[in-house]
Amino acid sequence: MAIELVGLDADDTLWHNESYFRLTHQRFNDLLGPYADPATLDRRLVETMERNVRTYGYGAKTATLSMIETASEVAGQDLHAVIGEILAAGRELMAHPVELLPGVREAVEQLAERYRLVLVTKGDLFHQELKLAGSGLGDHFSGVEIVSTKTADTYRKVFRRYGVAPEATVMAGNSVRSDVLPALEAGAFAAHIPYELVWEHEAADLPENHPRLAQLNSISELPRWLEEHAAR
Ligand SMILES: [Mg+2]
């Protein structure tokens, strides 16, 4: 069956994201350095993030809340000043420029000529819409699905909404856990496009020799993979 619909992840597939989170995390570590050792800070922040994602969903606002919550446990008397700094770091995380990854503009333009494209992304609705507008790529997408989690069921619902069979769809993204495994489970093809940094929360192993999995080095390889798939 020919591929009709291409699902594209956004963060770290189309544009840089994790690198900005890492910078903010570093700033948080520097700020709280006088109050706790780095390993303790890391552990507490990760635990708080994991808990808050379940309550508030993914995104910069949840990261900001988690940093404040963690600081409140360690900063003691200086908490007031520390919170001001964390809020400033959180605002910068919301406002960072949209920095497209290499080859993304050309690949998206090429793909849009032949396929319906749908952006499937987690995170904060307001922030993701800002980033898509800032990317200048919005017109190439038939739809934008901002979802709270990415499970096989999430993808099945998206495919149904666009009226395509799973086997006529490929989902491309950097996260094995969110983009690849659930799309394969839903019966779609998946293209893994690695990003240099992996958020621990998203880490997972790629399946070996899966017949519907493409392992690409860059999004620039996706148009050709689709052509070769159509020829098979
Ligand atoms: Mg991503």
Side-chain angles (χ1 to χ4, degrees), residues 9-13 150 173-175 179:
D9 170 54
D11 291 336
D12 299 324
T13 297
K150 286 175 164 176
N174 70 296
S175 170
D179 302 317

